[in-house]
Each structure stands twice: as structure tokens, then as C-alpha cells.
Amino acid sequence: GVEASLALLGCFPANCPPTVITQHMPAAFTASFAARLDRASAASVSIPAQGALLEPGKVFLAPGGDVHLEVYRHADNRLHCRLTEGELVSGHRPSVDVLMNSVARAAGASAVGVLLTGMGRDGAKGLLAMRQAGARTLGQDAASCVVYGMPKAAFELGAVERQIPISAMGEAVLDLAADNVRAGV
């Protein structure tokens, strides 16, 4: 969901929670898409370098093509990006499942997971892993999806805590992230 990503990030303020995104997109288009997202958001959107630090105001888009984007907790106890080569997962590289599984391991209950419009099942198992790790999880609702595939698969697995229309998704994500901060998770 190119338009769904634009709608979501268009609501994000300059000090938004650190955010990572995997979009099924060929490598030739990810840099221009990141630039488009950057123009649409008050946050800084870019393709991460190996080891990039996740910090407020930063949104990282997985490079397309031959690498997965993962999140890991570094020895400094902060979250960083890892770019890894590997097999296709759920039919994709980069894979949403790979990203979300890594977030579940590294961030657990302090994370918010979101699955937007798209074909297939990639992300359903990863979002479930996030929910099982205590993260808050949202899926785009059927009425606002161009293709209700990925969010539907996640909903059917029990991975989605709440289904939200894309027009309200940005606010819902920011509210849940603020709740996590207030709760100290």
C-alpha cells in the first residue's frame, strides 16, 4: 500500500516514535519512494544504513530487492537496524514477517505493529509474534483496503488487536505508542 503508507506517515510528527517499514517493492523504486514518504511526513524517512540507530523522528524503509530489514538490540541497549541477505520468506525479500519477528524479539511489549493493505500473507505470522510478545497490534480494515489480503490473514490468525480504517491509523498508532511510553514499556 503506497497510498496507505503515505496516509499513515502523513500524520506523523517530527518527533514520531522510531518506525521501520517493509514495503514489497523492487530495489529500483525504494529510494524514490522513501523520498516521497519523506516529503509527505514531518518525520525523516530514509533507507537505513547497516546498524542505523532507531530514534524518535526517524522512519526507515527497507531497501527493496535482495535484503531483509531487521531490528536488534545492540550491546548499548538501544535498537538498531540490520540488513541481512537471506532466502525469500513468505515469498518475499524484504519480508514483513522477518521485520516483525525481529521487532517482537528486540522490542517486545514496547512496540506497536501495523499491517496495511496488500496481497498475500506476508506479515501475518510476524504480527502474531509481536502480539504474543506483548506488542499492540493493528490491521487496516477491509473497507479502506485496496486489497484486504495481508491484514485479513493476520486478523484470521488472531494477530490483530483492532482493525482500523486508514484514515484513523496514524492517530491510533501514535496513541498506542504514547500509551507505551506512559506505561514505561
Side-chain angles (χ1 to χ4, degrees):
V2 169
E3 296 305 318
S5 295
L6 286 163
L8 174 67
L9 294 182
C11 298
F12 276 26
N15 66 342
C16 72
T19 303
V20 286
I21 300 171
T22 291
Q23 175 79 34
H24 298 151
M25 182 175 281
F29 298 109
T30 54
S32 62
F33 184 53
R36 185 175 174 197
L37 291 171
D38 188 57
R39 289 189 301 274
S41 180
S44 171
V45 183
S46 63
I47 306 289
Q50 187 70 267
L53 175 65
L54 274 73
E55 54 190 336
K58 301 284 185 179
V59 177
F60 292 118
L61 175 68
D66 60 353
V67 296
H68 295 291
L69 172 59
E70 297 181 68
V71 171
Y72 70 99
R73 190 164 297 279
H74 189 272
D76 64 9
N77 203 34
R78 297 185 300 175
L79 298 175
H80 292 260
C81 293
R82 177 182 293 134
L83 303 174
T84 60
E85 295 180 2
E87 300 298 317
L88 296 176
V89 175
S90 302
H92 299 279
R93 186 180 46 234
S95 166
V96 180
D97 277 329
V98 168
L99 176 61
M100 289 187 166
N101 279 312
S102 73
V103 171
R105 288 188 304 272
S110 66
V112 176
V114 178
L115 202 51
L116 301 177
T117 185
M119 292 189 310
R121 303 185 59 79
D122 187 28
K125 290 179 181 176
L127 192 65
L128 180 60
M130 287 184 69
R131 187 163 190 199
Q132 290 171 337
R136 306 298 300 271
T137 60
L138 303 173
Q140 187 175 347
D141 71 345
S144 69
C145 280
V146 174
V147 178
Y148 185 56
M150 293 164 56
K152 179 182 180 186
F155 181 75
E156 290 173 346
L157 277 180
V160 175
E161 182 181 341
R162 288 186 357 220
Q163 295 189 85
I164 307 280
I166 192 61
S167 61
M169 188 66 75
E171 183 179 344
V173 169
L174 295 171
D175 286 348
L176 290 175
D179 288 350
N180 283 348
V181 169
R182 282 190 290 277
V185 292

